[in-house]
Amino acid sequence: MERAKKIKVFLFWFFRLVLVITGALALLQGQGEHLLFVVLIFFLTFLPDLMEKKLRIIYPAELEILMLILIVGGMYFGEMYAYYYKFPWWDKVLHFMSAVIMGSIGFSLIFVLNRSEKVALRLSSKFVAFFAFCFSITILTLWEVFEFGMDQIFGLNMQKDGLMDTMWDLITNAIGAFICSVVGYLQIRHEITVFDYIEKKFFRMNPEFNEEEISDDNK
């Protein structure tokens, strides 16, 4: 097992252990809201593995570690320990990071599929960048819907200031997604090596996809 994979496995299981301890303390202290968050966060830590099994694609460990950082920063420290209130910038920084990471995942997926011999369809660099932008915005908009649902069903306060918080989150998401899309576009047009590491590692971990060069017609 490569080093990054070992680190990823250790971090995920270490945090799950922290969640079990946190949940036990919340149960003993009668903190129902904290216990609900613990159960939700615990489920979210398995989401990357579930996505891999469902899509039959192996993600680089580095991307999964970044996902864990977002889960810890957003749900654990942000919601459970009120970092969103203690540090006004906490929410927007996490949303910006989320947009960039989701955009990177969307871009990487469509980019490697665009270079795969198994997929006949060939997409232009502009469409690949546009897809990455839409992918990021869609995932994070669904998260805002999830926050609204949790507030309505369980009486939480994940939306904070309601409409204002949601709109600024969406604006921050759009900025992060746009930056990621522009970088991805430049990657294809001018062969900037920002995504090369992820791309090469993806092909190494998913040998069923055979790499081939993008033709000039697709640029």
Side-chain angles (χ1 to χ4, degrees):
M1 184 183 297
E2 62 175 24
R3 183 179 179 183
K5 188 72 173 179
K6 290 180 180 178
I7 294 174
K8 171 246 174 177
V9 171
F10 171 78
L11 289 176
F12 270 80
W13 282 108
F14 174 78
F15 183 58
R16 286 165 187 158
L17 177 61
V18 171
L19 286 174
V20 170
I21 296 174
T22 304
L25 292 174
L27 182 62
L28 291 174
Q29 296 171 3
Q31 297 176 322
E33 184 174 318
H34 274 205
L35 184 59
L36 176 61
F37 274 120
V38 166
V39 173
L40 175 60
I41 298 170
F42 193 82
F43 168 76
L44 288 176
T45 62
F46 289 95
L47 190 58
D49 291 335
L50 292 174
M51 290 173 60
E52 285 187 339
K53 291 179 180 179
K54 187 68 175 179
L55 300 176
R56 297 181 181 177
I57 292 177
I58 301 175
Y59 295 109
E62 291 83 354
L63 277 179
E64 295 185 73
I65 291 174
L66 287 175
M67 292 181 195
L68 179 63
I69 290 174
L70 291 177
I71 293 171
V72 174
M75 296 295 293
Y76 190 76
F77 287 109
E79 296 290 350
M80 289 185 61
Y81 292 99
Y83 272 40
Y84 290 135
Y85 297 101
K86 296 176 181 178
F87 309 103
W89 47 266
W90 190 266
D91 184 38
K92 298 302 174 280
V93 169
L94 285 176
H95 272 279
F96 181 83
M97 290 177 57
S98 300
V100 172
I101 292 173
M102 290 299 106
S104 300
I105 293 174
F107 177 84
S108 299
L109 287 175
I110 196 68
F111 184 46
V112 296
L113 290 176
N114 206 35
R115 299 185 67 172
S116 171
E117 293 178 350
K118 290 185 64 176
V119 181
L121 182 64
R122 290 296 176 265
L123 306 174
S124 69
S125 56
K126 292 180 181 178
F127 188 87
V128 172
F130 179 70
F131 174 87
F133 177 83
C134 292
F135 179 87
S136 180
I137 291 294
T138 299
I139 296 298
L140 296 174
T141 299
L142 290 175
W143 178 260
E144 295 297 327
V145 174
F146 168 77
E147 287 187 346
F148 174 78
M150 293 296 289
D151 289 353
Q152 297 299 312
I153 296 172
F154 297 105
L156 304 179
N157 188 28
M158 297 183 69
Q159 287 188 295
K160 309 304 180 294
D161 297 325
L163 179 61
M164 287 297 294
D165 177 75
T166 299
M167 291 309 301
W168 279 113
D169 287 348
L170 292 175
I171 291 171
T172 305
N173 295 342
I175 293 173
F178 178 76
I179 292 175
C180 180
S181 298
V182 170
V183 173
Y185 174 77
L186 294 175
Q187 158 78 12
I188 300 176
R189 293 290 295 179
H190 303 290
E191 299 182 355
I192 297 175
T193 58
V194 175
F195 290 98
D196 276 2
Y197 174 77
I198 295 177
E199 176 198 347
K200 291 176 181 178
K201 191 166 186 178
F202 180 92
F203 280 115
R204 188 169 66 250
M205 298 174 69
N206 299 274
E208 66 272 21
F209 294 102
N210 296 314
E211 182 177 5
E212 67 174 12
E213 295 298 327
I214 299 178
S215 66
D216 293 336
D217 293 338
N218 291 327
K219 294 188 176 183

